[in-house]
Amino acid sequence: MTGSPSEPYDLAVVGAGPAGLAGAVTAAELGLSTVLLDASGRPGGQYFRHPAPGLGATRPGALHHDWPAFTALRRRLAASDVTHLAHHHVWTVTRRAADDWTVHALTGPDGDDGKPVRIRARAVLLATGAHERHLPFPGWTLPGVVGAGGAQAMLKAGLVLPGRRVVVAGSGPLLLAVASSLTAAGAHVPEVVEAAGYLGYARHPRALATNPHKLVEAAVHGTALARHRVRLRPRSAVTAVHGTDRVEAVTVSRLGPDWRPLPGTGRRVPCDALAVGHGLVPQTELATGLGCATRRTPDGTDALLLDAWQETTVPGLWAAGETGGTGGWQLARVEGELAAVAVTARLRARPGLTTGRRVRDLARRRDRMRAFAEAMAAAHAPGAGWTGWLTDDTEVCRCEEVTAGRVREAVDDLGARDARTVKLLTRAGMGWCQGRMCGAAVAALAAAGRPDGAVPPSPARRPLAVPVPLAALAALPEDPDGPDGPEDH
Amino acid sequence: MPLSNSPDVIVVGAGVVGAACAYYAARSGLSVTVVDRGPVAGGTTGAGEGNLLVSDKEPGPELDLALLSTRLWRDLAAGLPDGAEYEAKGGLVVARDAARMTALRAFARSQTAAGVTAQEVPADALHDLEPHLAPGLAGGFLYPQDAQVQPALAAAHLLRASGARVRTGQEVTAVLTGASGEVRGVRTRAGDLHAPYVVNAAGTWGGEVARLAGAHLPVLPRRGFVLVTEPLPRVVRHKVYAADYVADVASGSAALQTSAVVEGTPAGPVLIGASRERVGFDRTLSVEALRRLAAGATELFPVLAGVRALRTYAGFRPYLPDHLPAVGADPSVPGLLHACGHEGAGIGLAPATGLAVARVLTGDEPPLDLRPFDPGRFTGVTA
Ligand SMILES: Cc1cc2nc3c(=O)[nH]c(=O)nc-3n(C[C@H](O)[C@H](O)[C@H](O)COP(=O)(O)OP(=O)(O)OC[C@H]3O[C@@H](n4cnc5c(N)ncnc54)[C@H](O)[C@@H]3O)c2cc1C
Ligand SMILES: Cc1cc2nc3c(=O)[nH]c(=O)nc-3n(C[C@H](O)[C@H](O)[C@H](O)COP(=O)(O)OP(=O)(O)OC[C@H]3O[C@@H](n4cnc5c(N)ncnc54)[C@H](O)[C@@H]3O)c2cc1C
């Protein structure tokens, strides 16, 4: 069987979003034996989510003007020889050689069906996407506060609205998309509160002008929002949430250029839900665990460092999509395709594959979209003053219930200067989410103690990408010839 | 350009050992500056488990150091805020079969003669101590002196309590020496720091710091993985491990040797550790190490089978060829002291190490015989 110890797959793709899907179908079409693993039950990833069958949603595409592109990918997947393994949660990837990889996954909707699998492959493409960045604020733990991406996902997956009157806040181009989905689904969005100024885009006119699709997208959102009388509030942030059992109102404050809230500018906006997010953080732990280098993105996240052919700094491991930096679904798809071409060229020793006109064209589009993405990221980079809206009793790490005050104590009294030390001294980031929720905030608070105040790079160190039952670990086959050698007692 | 206010002593390394050296030196009236290239507890201390053990040590110099440390930790814990999470929980060592029980009994008897408290626990009483322990074990020994701290917190609190000046983020790039080879201070990227004494508490990197001073100390890394579970109600009350562990510590083999040491923590997660292998400074995950840890833990506590591991981390124990730390004056560089190479026991051995270093610095009688820890033992030159 392909993928068994005796016959590994040519390529294992982790993540079935636009990047992974495009990578898998392209590789299969080029003749590679390919396996595609994804934690969720259906392909599509973050953007092309669709309602579970049986929810009565007959036209998921109604939420999407890009749906046809996804249907095309799905059709290619169905027609291909790709082995699609849904509900496979990859917890680690290990490497014996540049062409000898093992992907370890737990199976079942929640990864707990007790049948862990190992899949061998000669190359790996990581397309694990990103997760939302959260910057906490007083009251963010109140029911009714949801992630902007989460709200969008809820809409797409189950068509549920987080509330009737929803303030959308945070920073980044996704806020407009979220606001327009919410209004399209019948919610009232009184305000979109954006911490950055949109003027930031103007600094990158070239990147904008060469990405007409993005402009069309913005215009679509813009007109939809105007029609629904949604007010755009740039240079502002939600600095407090009011309500006892759930959100009743939020305070919106004006921000200075470094995002420090300007005293006395708070306005109360009644609402019954708040959708908030500050862009996306590349999900890179499977790669960083293998030693892949990262780069700092203009908006302060750590993305995988990739070469022109999407290969990471660890030979044999490729990445595409948001793992290399946020950039939208089209960039993800193009990168997936490029990576598949590069893998095939390597495994089949066909360097000619990478010099064709179509491939050069793809690479050019990739570069253009990346440049645009970086420009957007720069415009939405959190200002250093945002921690000014955290009161000492604001909970920063929700899993371990660590407040901003305790993090500040670790910095001021115990000498912590980075997120890892704060974690060791306060437990912030040690809980269920492993710092995915609080990581950005903890890093920013810790940086306050550094002479330059800058947040040092802190790529994800999560050797277990998902929680693994001890029984699953204990049941792994013994590996006497493994890199560790035999036990000798 | 020298930085102002020269201290009496510079400690290189802000791990638990450096923190303990700073603490006892400051208490002896010396002014202390601690320099670390990273943050506080950013080295192996931040990757250790915090067991303060006497149970795993055979009679000899390391056990003497551990017994003294056990007393010192108790005193320290009373003086530090409860932030250090000190817990005198006791260790329970179990034997899988009659042969191992016999070996364990002989081992415990020899330890008792050296001052360790060890109480035999018959097979049918094991479950009174640890209700979730697997059935069918041959018996065990309870070691009430075994305790635990949270290493990073302990180091940070010790450092703060010492009142020492702490310079983090400053790598020592040279050890400054005078005309007759005596120590004059250290060079960092931020400038020169002068002091008549320098303590090398650089843990696994102690060999490099020694080299900067022209001294020789063959410290090498020995990797270990720890598995951490999701938070649980207290299912494990003591530090529990199987008797084979004893054999691992002293073994000189290069292969991975994993024994399941299982313990609960005040915060809820169960810690399982730690593997031992010599692979240099390689941080990549060893699935085989995790398998052995998980297999060992679930064998001792079958209830853990369905429990999920949330994270794992690796650290590099500083070891010397004879598995004893180097504590005391360097034989060839006047003013240079070493306090490193504590392998898998540095958290436990830190206070006694710190106290001994302080006594050497002030010229007082050390609290125990330091000859077995003589840093000169690897060069043939003795202090
Ligand atoms: C609210 C919101 C609105 C957006 N709006 C737009 C828009 O209007 N236009 C636009 O271009 N882009 C938009 N995006 C961005 C778009 O979603 C991403 O650019 C795109 O999904 C990236 O594709 P990807 O393949 O890199 O990752 P993803 O689509 O995120 O796919 C990653 C996949 O990897 C899987 N995975 C992750 N880790 C593991 C693991 N350990 N084991 C197994 N599987 C794993 C996940 O289940 C997921 O299916 C939006 C995103 C959000 C959150
Ligand atoms: C997995 C694992 C589990 C363990 N469990 C236990 C246990 O349960 N109980 C126990 O007692 N021990 C345990 N240990 C061992 C223990 O962690 C170590 O012995 C101890 O932390 C060593 O402390 P240290 O202060 O000597 O070294 P470190 O904590 O490594 O400190 C040395 C410091 O020196 C700094 N440094 C190095 N070079 C320079 C330079 N040139 N300039 C400036 N600074 C420098 C480093 O940045 C570092 O912070 C464990 C170790 C591991 C890996």
Side-chain angles (χ1 to χ4, degrees):
Chain A
M1 191 192 101
T2 310
S4 68
S6 49
E7 199 192 333
Y9 284 99
D10 287 324
L11 176 64
V13 181
V14 184
L21 271 175
V25 296
T26 306
E29 286 161 5
L30 288 168
L32 298 191
S33 62
T34 305
V35 59
L36 172 64
L37 301 95
D38 196 289
S40 66
R42 277 154 303 158
Q46 184 76 252
Y47 190 56
F48 296 108
R49 284 182 196 264
H50 30 119
L55 279 180
T58 45
R59 286 176 55 243
L63 288 177
H64 259 297
H65 43 279
D66 296 316
W67 201 253
F70 173 53
T71 337
L73 277 175
R74 251 197 326 192
R75 211 175 301 120
R76 281 167 71 194
L77 179 67
S80 74
D81 290 333
V82 173
T83 310
H84 176 211
L85 302 177
H87 288 152
H88 277 59
H89 309 250
V90 177
W91 61 269
T92 195
V93 175
T94 54
R95 171 188 197 266
R96 266 170 203 251
D99 63 353
D100 186 357
W101 299 84
T102 304
V103 177
H104 296 258
L106 303 170
T107 55
D110 298 311
D112 54 3
D113 82 349
K115 290 197 285 290
V117 300
R118 285 167 308 128
I119 287 163
R120 287 187 61 198
R122 299 170 59 210
V124 174
L125 170 58
L126 285 182
T128 47
H131 61 83
E132 201 159 19
R133 173 159 60 185
H134 295 283
L135 303 184
F137 47 90
W140 73 309
T141 54
L142 205 61
V145 180
V146 297
Q152 177 102 336
M154 269 160 71
L155 263 182
K156 288 182 185 168
L159 305 175
V160 241
L161 281 167
R164 307 300 315 164
R165 200 180 149 80
V166 190
V167 170
V168 174
S171 190
L174 298 186
L175 296 188
L176 297 178
V178 172
S180 82
S181 304
L182 286 170
T183 51
H188 176 50
V189 176
E191 302 196 355
V192 173
V193 183
E194 162 64 59
Y198 288 105
L199 282 177
Y201 295 2
R203 287 192 209 113
H204 305 276
R206 241 186 86 74
L208 281 167
T210 50
N211 281 272
H213 180 90
K214 289 286 169 182
L215 292 182
V216 174
E217 214 169 79
V220 170
H221 293 318
T223 28
L225 296 178
R227 197 168 56 229
H228 288 99
R229 294 194 315 279
V230 177
R231 303 194 84 106
L232 217 54
R233 302 276 189 197
R235 297 196 177 291
S236 303
V238 168
T239 50
V241 179
H242 312 283
T244 36
D245 302 326
R246 74 168 278 127
V247 178
E248 288 162 15
V250 296
T251 294
V252 175
S253 301
R254 301 264 305 149
L255 302 181
D258 72 341
W259 288 30
R260 198 171 296 278
L262 300 175
T265 60
R267 258 181 328 108
R268 208 178 156 99
V269 180
C271 57
D272 61 2
L274 169 67
V276 60
H278 282 269
L280 303 175
V281 181
Q283 202 142 279
T284 60
E285 54 264 353
L286 291 173
T288 49
L290 286 157
C292 294
T294 59
R295 68 181 177 100
R296 209 13 98 89
T297 62
D299 60 345
T301 66
D302 298 291
L304 294 178
L305 183 65
L306 304 173
D307 72 5
W309 293 103
Q310 302 296 130
E311 194 168 5
T312 67
T313 54
V314 173
L317 183 65
W318 279 262
E322 314 275 61
T323 48
T326 309
W329 74 271
Q330 291 186 314
L331 174 58
R333 184 182 57 174
V334 168
E335 289 189 342
E337 191 171 339
L338 275 174
V341 171
V343 172
T344 315
R346 171 85 49 85
L347 293 186
R348 296 285 184 264
R350 288 171 60 194
L353 275 181
T354 58
T355 54
R357 189 189 162 135
R358 179 179 156 66
V359 173
R360 286 204 318 263
D361 218 53
L362 275 177
R364 254 197 308 278
R365 280 175 62 202
R366 189 257 332 264
D367 295 345
R368 204 173 61 224
M369 287 191 278
R370 252 305 151 222
F372 177 81
E374 302 282 301
M376 295 288 255
H380 293 281
W386 77 264
T387 51
W389 71 57
L390 291 175
T391 55
D392 275 348
D393 61 356
T394 310
E395 208 165 78
V396 169
C397 167
R398 300 166 77 149
C399 304
E400 296 286 335
E401 300 174 358
V402 182
T403 61
R406 281 199 37 225
V407 174
R408 286 174 174 144
E409 250 170 57
V411 174
D412 297 339
D413 299 347
L414 297 177
R417 296 288 179 267
D418 63 338
R420 177 169 181 262
T421 312
V422 169
K423 168 167 131 181
L424 286 171
L425 298 179
T426 66
R427 304 191 59 76
M430 281 195 188
W432 272 107
C433 85
Q434 288 293 291
R436 287 177 178 91
M437 282 285 261
C438 65
V442 170
L445 285 168
R450 304 171 82 88
D452 58 355
V455 181
S458 40
R461 252 210 233 167
R462 295 185 197 102
L464 304 180
V466 296
V468 191
L470 292 181
L473 291 175
L476 286 162
E478 278 188 47
D479 187 1
D481 314 319
D484 300 313
E487 203 163 4
D488 72 343
H489 59 91
Chain B
M1 184 197 63
L3 301 169
S4 55
N5 298 341
S6 294
D8 297 321
V9 51
I10 294 165
V11 176
V12 183
V16 70
V17 173
C21 291
Y23 178 85
Y24 287 104
R27 291 233 324 193
S28 314
L30 302 174
S31 67
V32 184
T33 294
V34 178
V35 191
D36 199 297
R37 64 180 172 198
V40 171
T44 312
T45 297
E49 267 189 285
N51 301 318
L52 316 177
L53 297 190
V54 295
S55 57
D56 65 336
K57 295 178 180 65
E58 59 187 3
E62 194 188 6
L63 180 59
D64 297 341
L65 205 58
L67 281 166
L68 173 58
S69 268
T70 302
R71 290 199 296 279
L72 294 174
W73 265 123
R74 206 167 34 224
D75 298 346
L76 287 173
L80 297 177
D82 37 330
E85 295 182 8
Y86 176 83
E87 250 194 309
K89 53 160 55 168
L92 178 64
V93 184
V94 298
R96 277 188 264 258
D97 52 35
R100 287 182 167 97
M101 188 63 197
T102 309
L104 179 59
R105 198 176 285 123
F107 187 68
R109 198 173 301 128
S110 69
Q111 290 173 306
T112 313
V116 173
T117 312
Q119 297 151 4
E120 178 156 355
V121 184
D124 60 4
L126 283 175
H127 292 87
D128 299 337
L129 292 173
E130 287 292 346
H132 297 286
L133 210 51
L137 294 163
F141 270 81
L142 180 67
Y143 291 84
Q145 287 154 318
D146 283 356
Q148 176 174 324
V149 288
Q150 206 275 31
L153 277 169
H157 281 290
L158 265 182
L159 262 187
R160 182 165 68 157
S162 76
R165 193 140 176 211
V166 181
R167 297 173 171 273
T168 50
Q170 299 186 3
E171 176 159 10
V172 169
T173 54
V175 174
L176 309 171
T177 46
S180 46
E182 82 282 10
V183 160
R184 303 279 308 273
V186 298
R187 174 154 300 157
T188 74
R189 296 196 198 288
D192 288 357
L193 268 172
H194 289 302
Y197 292 103
V198 169
V199 178
N200 171 14
T204 313
W205 303 271
E208 286 158 41
V209 171
R211 195 155 44 243
L212 292 178
H216 172 69
L217 209 57
V219 188
L220 286 169
R222 195 173 193 191
R223 184 171 76 176
F225 279 98
V226 178
L227 262 179
V228 188
T229 72
E230 59 191 291
L232 300 173
R234 267 262 148 123
V235 292
V236 183
R237 300 176 182 176
H238 303 82
K239 309 185 35 54
V240 184
Y241 61 94
D244 335 6
Y245 182 83
V246 172
D248 288 0
V249 179
S251 155
S253 152
L256 170 72
Q257 300 163 332
T258 301
S259 22
V261 184
V262 188
E263 65 182 313
T265 58
V270 168
L271 300 186
I272 303 162
S275 57
R276 295 165 185 271
E277 56 190 318
R278 292 178 201 164
V279 289
F281 285 106
D282 181 2
R283 222 170 244 297
T284 46
L285 185 69
S286 161
V287 170
E288 176 62 8
L290 299 194
R291 182 193 70 74
R292 292 187 197 182
L293 289 173
T298 50
E299 196 186 314
L300 281 179
F301 290 96
V303 289
L304 293 179
V307 167
R308 278 163 292 191
L310 283 193
R311 57 194 183 96
T312 174
Y313 56 83
F316 301 96
R317 305 177 185 84
Y319 86 89
L320 284 161
D322 59 2
H323 303 282
L324 288 178
V327 182
D330 187 88
S332 46
V333 184
L336 178 67
L337 279 74
H338 298 285
C340 54
H342 295 75
E343 196 159 339
I347 317 295
L349 303 179
T353 302
L355 181 61
V357 163
R359 292 278 168 82
V360 174
L361 285 168
T362 54
D364 292 314
E365 185 65 24
L368 80 172
D369 181 6
L370 287 181
R371 275 172 304 181
F373 312 111
D374 184 350
R377 66 190 190 273
F378 306 105
T379 53
V381 188
T382 40

